[in-house]
Amino acid sequence: MTDIREEIEKLKREKNAVILGHYYQRGEVQDLADFVGDSLALAQWAARTEADIIVMCGVHFMGETAKVLCPQKKVLVPDLAAGCSLADSCPADAFERFVREHPGYTVISYVNTTAAVKALTDVVVTSTNARQIVESFPQDEKIIFGPDRNLGNYINAVTGRQMLVWDGACHVHEQFSVEKIVETKRLHPDALVLAHPECKGSVLKLADVVGSTAALLKYAVRHPEHTYIVATEAGILHEMRKQCPQTTFIPAPPSDSTCACNECSYMRLNTLEKLRDCLRDESPEITVDPAIAARAVRPIERMLEISARLGL
Ligand code: SF4
């Protein structure tokens, strides 16, 4: 019987497809991807690929971003139900009302939003470039930041800004608790805490390093001598362990020890079987209303331009 990995590789070659995988995917999916990265890196990769088909092994908004950047290409996702609680916490109609109520504000949206929200946005950011992009505006610029309240409040705290922050959150990052991290620290007193800025402010105060998944990975690679407690989606530990095989990485435990809440159930929907099937059937395919895509592309490209200028 043909190994499923061989089937995927064969289909990929036949169809001139590229497989992009997010750090929060299952390990076996990451291992098969042509490129693994965070949201910024996946968008950068999608923007420059020459493949005819992009298979986005991530969640729906990542597929939308690729489609908006590459309208002529077919963009597939292994499971269309792979959504995002953070994107869901910011419905486009409610966000539009909020923006209208605040004329004169520059709208900065995190990449974890639907294309319809991006279409209401002046510049998109990811956790890798959010601080630098906010700081590229004058200190007194009036800014709306959506949808992640934890990331927005964190940027306000480190930059001294007073951005108006949309009240959204990611269910995975929200559930990390001070209590559980302190408990883990007690068992591993020398461990450093790495935390993603989507975590609550009280958790970020405990962190030795706050950064995007890519930044946390980079830190660990540069300092493999430490032990790390990692407060972000547990999928990143796959790449961390690959790149630093001698280092001990401990996933920050979920607040409820009876669940695997430090794993994103949406990200886990993509499996090797679904990846094979979507390449074979060229479905499910991501579509974006062309009128929305025409408005959403501008703030995404602006993010890519600023990131390139800043060397991110
Ligand atoms: S981890 Fe959170 S922000 Fe990331 S895709 Fe899952 S629900 Fe969305």
Side-chain angles (χ1 to χ4, degrees):
M1 207 178 85
T2 319
D3 179 76
I4 189 161
R5 289 171 182 78
E6 288 171 20
E7 282 184 74
I8 292 169
E9 294 289 354
K10 186 163 172 281
L11 284 162
K12 197 180 74 178
R13 278 195 304 277
E14 284 170 6
K15 297 185 181 231
N16 188 27
V18 65
I19 300 174
L20 305 183
H22 192 271
Y23 284 135
Y24 296 168
Q25 290 291 285
R26 292 167 186 269
E28 63 269 25
V29 173
Q30 292 188 45
D31 289 342
L32 256 185
D34 296 294
F35 181 79
V36 183
D38 64 357
S39 303
L40 174 62
L42 295 182
Q44 288 168 326
W45 195 268
R48 64 173 178 256
T49 183
E50 289 181 357
D52 296 318
I53 295 177
I54 298 171
V55 186
M56 181 59 78
C57 294
V59 295
H60 192 271
F61 77 79
M62 295 174 184
E64 277 194 336
T65 302
K67 183 66 185 174
V68 165
L69 285 168
C70 314
Q72 312 306 333
K73 294 186 193 294
K74 194 172 261 189
V75 178
L76 307 173
V77 288
D79 192 324
L80 260 191
C84 170
S85 56
L86 177 52
D88 290 347
S89 70
C90 188
D93 52 352
F95 193 66
E96 185 169 17
R97 276 198 301 280
F98 185 66
V99 169
R100 285 223 179 107
E101 282 161 15
H102 297 91
Y105 277 71
T106 294
V107 181
I108 298 184
S109 292
Y110 196 28
V111 70
N112 300 41
T113 46
T114 59
V117 167
K118 290 186 177 78
L120 299 165
T121 295
D122 294 300
V123 58
V124 168
V125 298
T126 69
S127 46
T128 294
N129 57 28
R131 178 178 179 171
Q132 290 94 328
I133 289 183
V134 167
E135 285 183 324
S136 72
F137 287 92
Q139 184 74 26
D140 59 354
E141 183 90 9
K142 294 195 289 186
I143 295 174
I144 288 174
F145 186 92
D148 190 82
R149 61 173 173 253
N150 294 327
L151 178 61
N153 290 336
Y154 171 72
I155 294 173
N156 272 343
V158 294
T159 64
R161 307 261 167 161
Q162 292 183 325
M163 302 186 298
L164 288 183
V165 175
W166 183 262
D167 192 22
C170 152
H171 72 293
V172 178
H173 289 90
E174 271 276 293
Q175 57 77 39
F176 291 115
S177 73
V178 168
E179 197 191 9
K180 290 282 179 180
I181 293 176
V182 168
E183 227 171 77
T184 312
K185 264 294 257 189
R186 213 172 290 135
L187 297 172
H188 307 275
D190 296 332
L192 299 186
V193 177
L194 305 179
H196 192 283
E198 284 175 30
C199 296
K200 287 180 288 204
S202 53
V203 167
L204 297 180
K205 282 201 186 114
L206 287 178
D208 297 286
V209 182
V210 177
S212 64
T213 40
L216 300 180
L217 173 64
K218 200 189 271 181
Y219 187 90
V221 169
R222 284 199 184 140
H223 307 280
E225 67 280 11
H226 296 297
T227 293
Y228 294 105
I229 299 166
V230 185
T232 186
E233 210 277 353
I236 185 62
L237 272 78
H238 182 73
E239 187 65 21
M240 285 176 161
R241 287 174 177 145
K242 255 168 105 169
Q243 292 203 30
C244 310
Q246 312 299 334
T247 305
T248 303
F249 293 101
I250 303 154
S255 48
D256 175 355
S257 42
T258 61
C259 74
C261 317
N262 55 358
E263 294 183 355
C264 175
S265 49
Y266 298 114
M267 287 281 186
R268 294 299 186 285
L269 285 175
N270 296 328
T271 60
L272 285 185
E273 286 74 18
K274 289 180 194 170
L275 172 55
R276 187 257 330 267
D277 294 351
C278 95
L279 262 170
R280 184 193 60 211
D281 305 336
E282 299 190 18
S283 171
E285 185 178 354
I286 292 280
T287 55
V288 180
D289 179 319
I292 289 177
R295 286 189 288 139
V297 72
R298 194 179 35 83
I300 303 173
E301 285 181 344
R302 202 166 163 197
M303 169 186 77
L304 295 176
E305 282 158 22
I306 299 174
S307 298
R309 207 167 58 232
L310 297 172
L312 297 169

